[in-house]
Amino acid sequence: MAKTAKKGARTSKEPVTRDYTIHLHKYMQKVSFKKRAARAVRVVRQFAGKVMLTKDVKVDTKLNKFLWSNGVRNVPRRVRIRLSRKRNEDEDAKEKMFTLV
């Protein structure tokens, strides 16, 4: 059998926008109270990087305020986010694409 090149969407990084719901409650299990909101922001960053295949992830200030809205301890159980993969306008940037959450 001859090897054929796969035509996968994984290799193409076009600008795209998608909506997701992150169930934060399952990531907050066994996390101490004073680290919950910071961990939630980190989880959102990791999720966005994994789904959109970019290392450069920028979290919007409104999302950050929403995650911290109930204080450091009481993080919202779920958060609905819109992920946008965009082209990086900086010439000296390491990554060609970045994700805006």
Side-chain angles (χ1 to χ4, degrees):
M1 295 191 105
K3 291 183 181 177
T4 58
K6 283 187 179 179
K7 293 182 209 168
R10 286 226 181 261
T11 57
S12 69
K13 291 194 177 181
E14 300 288 319
V16 68
T17 301
R18 297 189 199 121
D19 290 335
Y20 289 98
T21 301
I22 301 179
H23 188 66
L24 289 173
H25 186 69
K26 69 180 180 183
Y27 296 107
M28 293 300 117
Q29 303 294 318
K30 297 187 179 178
V31 177
S32 66
F33 278 148
K34 293 297 181 183
K35 297 180 180 177
R36 280 177 166 235
R39 173 73 62 92
V41 174
R42 206 174 318 134
V43 164
V44 168
R45 276 182 184 275
Q46 288 172 351
F47 179 84
K50 185 175 77 172
V51 171
M52 294 304 239
L53 304 172
T54 60
K55 288 187 176 133
D56 191 9
V57 178
K58 298 176 181 174
V59 177
D60 190 42
T61 53
K62 289 180 187 174
L63 174 62
N64 193 42
K65 288 229 189 277
F66 176 73
L67 292 175
W68 283 85
S69 63
N70 301 338
V72 71
R73 298 183 345 164
N74 302 315
V75 175
R77 286 184 171 232
R78 286 183 198 84
V79 62
R80 188 100 173 122
I81 59 172
R82 174 164 289 151
L83 300 179
S84 301
R85 188 191 304 138
K86 298 184 176 184
R87 293 196 197 288
N88 215 336
E89 300 299 324
D90 274 344
E91 294 85 30
D92 54 328
K94 292 179 186 174
E95 303 288 322
K96 288 191 293 186
M97 306 294 275
F98 73 94
T99 302
L100 182 65
V101 184

